[in-house]
Amino acid sequence: MPFGYHGRWLEVDLQTASAQEHELSKEVLCQYIGGVGLGVWLMLQLEAWRWAALEPEAPLALVFSPLVSSPLTTSAKFAVVGRSPLTNRINDSLASSTFALVGKQTGYDALVLRGAARELSLVVVEPQGVQVIPVPELAGCSCEQTQAEVRRRLGPEFAVLAVGPAGERGIAFATLSHQGRHAGRGGSGAVLGAKGVKALAVRGQQRVRWARPKVLTQLARKLAQLAQGPQTAKYRQLGTLANMAVFNRLGLLPAENFQKGSSPAATALSVEQLQPQTLQVRESCQVCNIGCDHRYTLQEDQPGVRLEYESAYALGPLCGISDPQTVLWAARFCDHWGLDTISTGATVAFAMECVQRGWLKEPWLQFGRPEALRRALELMVRRQGVGELLALGTRAMAEQLGPEALAIAPQVKGLELPGYELRRLPAAALAMAVATRGADHNRTSAYEVDFSPQPPENDNELVQRLIWHEDRAAVMDSLILCKFLRGVFEDFFASASEMLWATTGWHFTAGGLHQVARRIITARKLFNILCGWQPQEDTLPERFFTQGTSTAGPLSRQRFERLKRLYYLQRGWTPEGWIPWQQLEHLGLAQFGLLCTQEAETSEPLGS
Amino acid sequence: MVTVELFGTARLCSGVSQVEVQPGSLQEVLCQLEHRLPQLRGVCIRQGKLLPGYMVNINGQRFTRDPHYRVGPGDVVLLLSADAGGA
């Protein structure tokens, strides 16, 4: 067994309630590390592109990493990897806390679910075996209720991952929830729901060995100190909600479905306003000493509501809502039902603009009306009336409404946009257009290039720096470490190498880790190509090129296309974004590329 | 005059959202701010220099931490956390 790993993964067949162990070679682990990296390798290995996201045979992987269960702060994380029902492309999302620790103690580096249970079920994974237990009585239970009930039945030593009613009902942006944290983006909750799984409970005591335990302890101590330093102060003191007032002031806060770049709603929803009045408590994930989780009071007699910037942006200004109580109510509603807050808010905002333009006959669904947001969410989760349309997400909804609607649907590849006014942020705009999982701020943090005190001198440098950020994110999401740590390292790749040496005993140079990142990013791209990716997918909503706001003019399509071409070329791809054979071979991906050409019955290089 | 707008921790710990100061280098501007709002000392500024984790934006356009940056009359300086994004 390699240090830091168990060296195996478990494939669970839900139809037969059986499981099969598979070995993980050292070569694969070195090449993909864990988390999202190992997850995309599993998806390629299992030929997951063959099935649509909600088909029973589509695999869904829960992937741990070499750092999980180490004392390194923020390392208690796991990745959920599969095909997204929103994008029909690769999806990876992360969540934190006890499930990562206990999940890894089952003795596997990844758990893969395939098939579908005959009725709504609880899946139990322990070292002694797997059970699929029918739980029809849990239908309709919230994420929190489900977790509490499963632990009551099985015991407190179990960690439980659950879908809410949104996942059961196939809402395309349903989440997987654990201890109030969500693997939120891309609709993994709908995938698990389609498999008839209400919850997955894990228990175990199998621990991995560390290659250099004393060094690991020293690194953990140092990292914990750094995590208490000024680079994380914003997250500790304010949480991500700190962005609200700043983005609004800078004209970067998308409002009313990206028709505006600032909003009067921002003042009431700013951390400066909310914190003195309604901050109830601050909490941390397991094995984290940052404590970014700020909860606000909705009702005095109830636990506080988590409110991140992205939730507040999407459920607030994007829908024209300024009432904090409505936004807190909506955030709690999403937590309870298991809904991605960004996609939820963006979908409602998009529908509001469709009403405004007369494309949707729901006159009550107006920007700025708290009761409209509440009613829309209730209809969405019940899939009643217009809720049936809302449950699809913006792209699928726009496809039903017509090409004009598609031009204003706030999405890339079907995934709804996070809270950045991209017409003012060229690096972030490019990063979101080319991101393999769709509109995505977490797989690059390329906005840091746009916000940098040392702006890029030219477009080549902009792309170079974007790629560096993308590489760093791929490694962080595979180790896995929280991105809130990203500012604390003097040299992230050197620090990551040290952590990997202490946990696994493997020597990675910084260049070697960049190569791992390139492999992971190219593997995701390859997966998308196998799913049918076409170059025109790597773009932004048409309105960004044709309409400005009061704070930004439209993006230059010419510059955007030039940046995209530069990005592809710097990634070693063709100018149109395909992957040359020699790069697949260089990165050890040729075996999967070969499958692609065999499928296409062509001997031409992949996509060229 | 130069307008300094405070965000996040700076505003919460000082209770002030906006201050007018004289033009000068960024360091001189921040020295004046520190003098006017001593609560900011050691939190985001020390001796007119930004502490790690903070930066300023000038007129909603340019981000900088350069103490020699010239801040002219009519400029608006936004004092904010350096880590502008979420994750």
Side-chain angles (χ1 to χ4, degrees):
Chain A
M1 182 171 78
F3 290 112
Y5 294 99
H6 296 289
R8 56 188 180 166
W9 60 279
L10 189 71
E11 183 175 14
V12 178
D13 183 334
L14 296 165
Q15 188 143 5
T16 59
S18 61
Q20 188 180 357
E21 276 185 24
H22 300 271
E23 295 295 313
L24 274 169
S25 70
K26 180 185 169 187
E27 186 188 11
V28 166
L29 294 171
C30 277
Q31 288 181 339
Y32 294 90
I33 301 178
V36 302
L38 185 56
V40 70
W41 177 82
L42 283 164
M43 289 304 115
L44 287 168
Q45 189 71 16
L46 292 166
E47 302 185 4
W49 65 86
R50 293 185 186 282
W51 297 280
L54 301 184
E55 281 188 82
E57 272 309 300
L60 185 71
L62 310 169
V63 193
F64 310 110
S65 79
L67 303 196
V68 172
S69 73
S70 79
L72 291 161
T73 188
T74 77
S75 62
K77 286 182 168 288
F78 61 101
V80 182
V81 186
R83 197 169 173 180
S84 162
L86 279 173
T87 67
N88 287 317
R89 302 289 178 255
I90 190 78
N91 185 47
D92 47 45
S93 49
L94 303 175
S96 306
S97 250
T98 313
F99 188 88
L101 302 171
V102 181
K104 189 168 174 182
Q105 286 174 4
T106 58
Y108 301 101
D109 297 310
L111 308 173
V112 177
L113 306 180
R114 300 194 81 168
R118 289 187 179 84
E119 57 184 315
L120 193 66
S121 295
L122 162 67
V123 179
V124 182
V125 178
E126 302 175 84
Q128 52 269 50
V130 171
Q131 297 175 72
V132 178
I133 305 166
V135 287
E137 67 280 9
L138 294 185
C141 286
S142 73
C143 299
E144 309 93 304
Q145 287 167 340
T146 305
Q147 290 166 62
E149 178 58 21
V150 170
R151 294 182 81 214
R152 190 190 67 75
R153 291 182 190 184
L154 299 178
E157 67 278 23
F158 281 86
V160 183
L161 185 65
V163 299
E168 291 173 50
R169 296 172 192 182
I171 294 174
F173 37 90
T175 66
L176 293 178
S177 173
H178 169 65
Q179 291 180 339
R181 312 298 296 189
H182 296 258
R185 304 241 62 200
S188 297
V191 178
L192 203 58
K195 295 184 176 307
V197 175
K198 179 66 177 169
L200 174 66
V202 292
R203 177 172 70 170
Q205 291 180 320
Q206 301 204 22
R207 297 181 185 279
V208 295
R209 296 174 305 139
W210 306 118
R212 305 281 187 280
K214 284 183 184 169
V215 176
L216 185 58
T217 305
Q218 288 166 359
L219 289 175
R221 201 170 287 139
K222 185 177 159 193
L223 191 61
Q225 283 172 355
L226 289 171
Q228 287 297 302
Q231 299 292 0
T232 58
K234 168 186 153 183
Y235 301 117
R236 292 196 308 274
Q237 295 163 0
L238 308 169
T240 55
L241 195 57
N243 291 347
M244 181 65 76
V246 175
F247 280 23
N248 188 53
R249 180 63 181 80
L250 295 173
L252 298 172
L253 175 67
E256 298 189 16
N257 194 38
F258 285 83
Q259 295 181 87
K260 299 176 180 174
S262 63
S263 168
T267 304
L269 294 170
S270 69
V271 75
E272 292 86 345
Q273 192 93 6
L274 274 182
Q275 197 173 90
Q277 293 171 3
T278 58
L279 181 66
Q280 192 177 83
V281 69
R282 185 167 74 92
E283 293 199 357
S284 298
C285 297
Q286 287 283 317
V287 197
C288 171
N289 68 335
I290 296 178
C292 68
D293 182 353
H294 291 66
R295 300 189 196 182
Y296 297 87
T297 302
L298 178 60
Q299 286 173 272
E300 290 296 341
D301 57 343
Q302 288 189 11
V305 181
R306 289 178 183 83
L307 193 62
E308 301 291 342
Y309 165 69
E310 293 294 350
S311 306
Y313 130 79
L315 300 165
L318 202 63
C319 295
I321 305 291
S322 59
D323 171 34
Q325 293 296 298
T326 299
V327 173
L328 285 168
W329 174 88
R332 167 163 287 169
F333 185 94
C334 290
D335 271 350
H336 180 89
W337 287 82
L339 288 165
D340 175 31
T341 51
I342 297 176
S343 288
T344 301
T347 302
V348 174
F350 170 59
M352 287 171 164
E353 189 174 351
C354 289
V355 171
Q356 195 177 53
R357 288 170 177 264
W359 300 337
L360 201 55
K361 306 295 178 204
E362 302 288 341
W364 55 272
L365 191 53
Q366 301 279 330
F367 286 116
R369 291 193 182 167
E371 69 281 7
L373 177 65
R374 289 171 187 252
R375 185 173 166 192
L377 297 193
E378 296 282 3
L379 291 171
M380 178 192 288
V381 295
R382 290 182 170 78
R383 301 193 77 139
Q384 289 173 352
V386 73
E388 187 59 49
L389 205 52
L390 296 171
L392 303 174
T394 53
R395 187 176 67 180
M397 194 174 153
E399 282 166 356
Q400 295 199 17
L401 294 172
E404 284 176 312
L406 196 56
I408 64 159
Q411 52 81 31
V412 173
K413 297 185 180 74
L415 187 68
E416 284 72 22
L417 287 157
Y420 298 81
E421 177 41 69
L422 297 178
R423 283 164 280 205
R424 292 200 62 190
L425 302 169
L430 174 63
M432 288 198 205
V434 300
T436 47
R437 78 165 180 172
D440 185 359
H441 62 300
N442 274 334
R443 296 294 173 267
T444 63
S445 61
Y447 48 77
E448 287 181 34
V449 179
D450 298 310
F451 294 148
S452 171
Q454 287 89 38
E457 289 187 359
N458 52 50
D459 285 351
N460 255 319
E461 188 190 330
L462 181 149
V463 170
Q464 198 175 18
R465 286 166 65 173
L466 181 161
I467 285 176
W468 186 90
H469 282 277
E470 214 176 36
D471 282 1
R472 181 182 64 178
V475 174
M476 288 194 96
D477 294 340
S478 299
L479 285 172
I480 306 169
L481 283 176
C482 177
K483 297 246 179 37
F484 291 169
L485 284 176
R486 68 192 185 277
V488 312
F489 301 105
E490 277 186 32
D491 180 340
F492 168 72
F493 288 93
S495 298
S497 300
E498 281 185 317
M499 290 180 224
L500 279 170
W501 180 68
T503 49
T504 67
W506 299 335
H507 289 278
F508 279 96
T509 61
L513 276 180
H514 273 289
Q515 178 81 340
V516 168
R518 277 193 287 275
R519 181 178 297 110
I520 291 167
I521 290 161
T522 305
R524 286 176 182 151
K525 177 65 176 259
L526 174 61
F527 184 88
N528 282 358
I529 290 173
L530 290 161
C531 290
W533 175 87
Q534 291 295 314
Q536 59 268 27
E537 292 177 25
D538 284 6
T539 192
L540 297 167
E542 181 62 18
R543 80 164 354 150
F544 285 19
F545 300 106
T546 56
Q547 297 169 14
T549 68
S550 59
T551 64
L555 276 173
S556 156
R557 195 189 302 273
Q558 199 180 6
R559 185 181 181 211
F560 173 80
E561 292 297 333
R562 187 172 69 240
L563 285 169
K564 195 166 70 172
R565 183 184 161 93
L566 280 172
Y567 170 83
Y568 291 148
L569 291 173
Q570 287 196 27
R571 273 267 167 243
W573 301 344
T574 72
E576 297 77 29
W578 304 100
I579 311 167
W581 264 115
Q582 58 268 35
Q583 196 183 45
L584 290 179
E585 285 168 350
H586 178 62
L587 295 172
L589 291 164
Q591 55 174 320
F592 304 119
L594 192 61
L595 285 168
C596 178
T597 53
Q598 284 169 350
E599 294 283 304
E601 295 181 349
T602 170
S603 57
E604 290 297 305
L606 184 61
S608 64
Chain B
M1 296 297 279
V2 168
T3 305
V4 182
E5 295 182 16
L6 287 73
F7 291 88
T9 304
R11 188 185 300 180
L12 285 170
C13 79
S14 67
V16 173
S17 61
Q18 191 170 308
V19 174
E20 301 270 304
V21 297
Q22 294 296 325
S25 68
L26 179 60
Q27 184 164 6
E28 287 165 348
V29 164
L30 295 176
C31 270
Q32 295 175 65
L33 183 68
E34 191 177 346
H35 181 71
R36 295 268 292 276
L37 301 172
Q39 309 93 307
L40 300 183
R41 189 174 300 139
V43 175
C44 43
I45 315 170
R46 185 172 287 125
Q47 294 180 333
K49 288 190 177 166
L50 290 165
L51 291 177
Y54 290 87
M55 69 177 170
V56 301
N57 176 281
I58 311 291
N59 299 327
Q61 299 295 326
R62 181 192 171 103
F63 293 90
T64 186
R65 290 179 49 84
D66 179 4
H68 305 299
Y69 185 89
R70 297 304 301 177
V71 185
D75 280 348
V76 178
V77 176
L78 314 182
L79 174 58
L80 36 92
S81 297
D83 232 344

